[in-house]
Amino acid sequence: EILTEDAEKAFCTLADREDMNPEEGSIHHCLYQFTRNEKLSENNKLLCDVCTQRHYGPKNTKNEKYVYTNAKKQMLISLAPPILTLHLKRFQQAGFNLRKVNRHIKFPEVIDLAPFCTVKCKNVAEGNTKVLYSLYGVVEHSGTMRSGHYTAYVKMRNMNNHLSDLVLQGQPPQALETEPIKGQWFHISDTHVQAVSTSKVLSSQAYLLFYERLL
C-alpha cells in the first residue's frame, strides 16, 4: 500500500535524534544504526511509477523501460508494542564460516524508544515525547556457534497496570512513569534458580532482551 504523506514529516520522530551521540557498543547505538536515514542511489535507485508514466504515458507496457530515481529510506517504529523484544545478532561472517560475537552490548533498565518512533506513532498519547520500556527479562547464550547453553535472567515484579490496560483495551498509558518496575532479579539455568543483583543482569552478554511498556 502506497500512502502519500507530508514530505516534511516523513522522516520526523517523536523525539529529536539530531543531537543523539549513542555510545558505540550499546543497544542505543544498535537502534540508531538500524533506524538511520539511508540514501538509495546508483544500483539501489527506487522504481518510480509516477516518473515512468510521466515519461512513457499511462499505457506503458511490460516491454518498455522503467524510470528509477534517487530516494531516501528510513525504518521507524509506527506502532509501539506492549512488549518489546530485541534480538541481538550474535554472529559474524569469517571467511566461509560463522563466528560468534561475544562482545558485551550495554543495555539500560529503562529505554526510551521515542527517537526511533515515527512522529505519527500509533497508541502513543498526543503530546507525549517519550515511549518508555522497563527491562524484565534477558536471555544469555554461552558457548560457540556449534554448541552452548542458554540461561535467563527474569525479574519477579509487581503487576504493571498500565501494561494490562494497553494489552486488554488497546489504550496508551497516560500516567508518567520513568522508573523501572520494582522487583527481584533471578538467574535461571535449567533447574537452578538464584537471586542476583541488577548490576549482574546488566553486565550479562544479552542475546534476547525483553522490555514492557511503561509510558
Side-chain angles (χ1 to χ4, degrees):
E1 182 180 4
I2 300 177
L3 299 177
T4 301
E5 299 284 354
D6 184 352
E8 294 298 324
K9 295 183 179 180
F11 299 96
C12 292
T13 51
L14 277 176
D16 183 24
R17 55 188 279 145
E18 294 300 322
D19 296 330
M20 284 188 68
N21 187 23
E23 181 182 358
E24 191 169 349
S26 68
I27 200 69
H28 288 96
H29 186 261
C30 294
L31 288 168
Y32 186 84
Q33 290 293 100
F34 186 76
T35 59
R36 72 186 187 278
N37 196 311
E38 300 177 59
K39 292 183 179 180
L40 304 180
S41 59
E42 298 181 355
N43 293 335
N44 292 321
K45 284 185 177 181
L46 189 69
L47 172 62
C48 178
D49 291 330
V50 175
C51 303
T52 299
Q53 290 186 14
R54 186 182 299 128
H55 282 77
Y56 299 103
K59 296 182 179 180
N60 182 41
T61 64
K62 294 182 179 180
N63 296 326
E64 291 190 82
K65 293 182 178 180
Y66 291 92
V67 177
Y68 293 81
T69 183
N70 293 332
K72 290 194 299 183
K73 170 189 172 183
Q74 187 174 25
M75 297 181 66
L76 295 172
I77 298 170
S78 64
L79 178 67
I83 299 296
L84 173 68
T85 304
L86 299 177
H87 184 183
L88 280 69
K89 182 180 177 182
R90 281 288 180 186
F91 65 89
Q92 65 182 14
Q93 193 77 30
F96 294 101
N97 300 315
L98 292 177
R99 177 190 302 164
K100 184 185 174 186
V101 177
N102 290 311
R103 181 183 182 185
H104 174 65
I105 301 298
K106 294 182 180 180
F107 55 93
E109 270 196 276
V110 173
I111 190 169
D112 184 7
L113 280 192
F116 316 110
C117 293
T118 174
V119 71
K120 295 183 179 180
C121 190
K122 304 178 181 67
N123 70 1
V124 174
E126 187 176 354
N128 277 2
T129 57
K130 290 183 179 295
V131 183
L132 302 180
Y133 288 82
S134 178
L135 183 71
Y136 74 90
V138 180
V139 172
E140 186 178 40
H141 178 268
S142 58
T144 66
M145 292 292 295
R146 294 182 178 273
S147 64
H149 180 59
Y150 289 97
T151 59
Y153 294 92
V154 179
K155 192 178 200 179
M156 182 177 174
R157 68 234 188 270
N158 297 326
M159 182 71 174
N160 183 344
N161 294 322
H162 293 307
L163 182 65
S164 300
D165 292 340
L166 187 60
V167 173
L168 298 177
Q169 304 175 22
Q171 297 179 354
Q174 302 292 332
L176 178 62
E177 290 193 22
T178 59
E179 298 296 325
I181 296 177
K182 295 180 180 180
Q184 173 62 55
W185 282 100
F186 290 91
H187 183 229
I188 304 171
S189 178
D190 293 336
T191 59
H192 181 69
V193 180
Q194 180 182 14
V196 294
S197 64
T198 301
S199 60
K200 174 68 174 177
V201 176
L202 298 180
S203 64
S204 64
Q205 292 190 24
Y207 180 56
L208 289 168
L209 295 169
F210 297 91
Y211 287 86
E212 56 186 329
R213 181 99 175 261
L214 286 177
L215 175 67

